[in-house]
Amino acid sequence: MTALDVKGAFNAAWWSSALKSLKDAECPRNLYYLSQGYSSQRTAAMTTNNISIERRVTKGCPQGSCCRPGFLNLLYNSIFKLEFTSHTKVIAFADDLIILSKGESIVEAENYKNLELRKISDWAQKNKLTFNENKSKVMFMSRRKRKEKKEVEIYLNYKILEQVNKIKYLGIIFDSKLLFREHINYMEEKCVKLIFAVSRSAKVTWGLGHKALKNIHTGGVLALMLYRAPV
């Protein structure tokens, strides 16, 4: 399992690539021209003292706009068109990218992963994106007791990625044996803190009423416990 981190994800979204994805998706012409109009002839200027500098802007998602995640998704969609092997699955949510590769042995899984990361690195270069090898992590996952080495050498940008025993993805802590103990302990700690915070405001004769406490319990404690539970 490899979690890849993009350097300045929303700021690095290249408009030309997003527009190409719109065209490939057969976007209605009026929406395509609207997006094209936004991304054309835009500049950024900075003035200090008597000096003014102006540069043409060719990338970046509009800050605070509803199309901000949309442009990034369009850019990321093209990664699913790469010809990955049947041993690999790619999952993307906004700028969070996970690559899963499996093999009959550790060496086989390692080889598949390095092969796929080379494809993704080439894709990133074409789309003017840069993956941060210092923040990207790799984790070996297996429930079987293996005599072979569990250290893997996975390369990104010609550097070996740090191997960890747990990876947090979309609020879920995955561990190397898929026991989810780390995640359960983490959620327990959050729930206990919330319960103690509520208890300070709820006494027998004063403080929050039953209805308010129930709403906090349902929207706070239960929400924490039940979210991600299917996984």
Side-chain angles (χ1 to χ4, degrees), residues 129-189:
L129 287 173
T130 305
F131 287 109
N132 190 339
E133 65 277 358
N134 295 321
K135 289 187 177 180
S136 300
K137 309 295 180 185
V138 63
M139 180 172 67
F140 170 70
M141 303 164 71
S142 177
R143 284 183 170 177
R144 288 188 289 176
K145 291 183 179 180
R146 295 176 177 271
K147 293 182 180 179
E148 53 187 326
K149 69 178 182 75
K150 293 184 180 180
E151 291 75 30
V152 291
E153 292 184 358
I154 306 301
Y155 291 85
L156 179 67
N157 300 334
Y158 304 103
K159 294 181 180 179
I160 297 179
L161 295 182
E162 180 187 355
Q163 186 173 348
V164 295
N165 292 319
K166 59 182 178 181
I167 288 177
K168 189 175 182 181
Y169 183 65
L170 302 182
I172 305 174
I173 299 175
F174 293 89
D175 56 90
S176 58
K177 293 188 179 295
L178 285 179
L179 298 175
F180 292 101
R181 286 175 184 164
E182 290 274 357
H183 178 75
I184 292 169
N185 292 337
Y186 172 71
M187 297 310 298
E188 179 192 14
E189 186 180 342

Side-chain angles (χ1 to χ4, degrees), residues 46-63:
M46 185 181 75
T47 303
T48 174
N49 297 331
N50 296 323
I51 302 172
S52 182
I53 301 173
E54 190 173 288
R55 291 286 184 271
R56 186 186 171 202
V57 180
T58 59
K59 58 184 180 179
C61 299
Q63 184 77 25

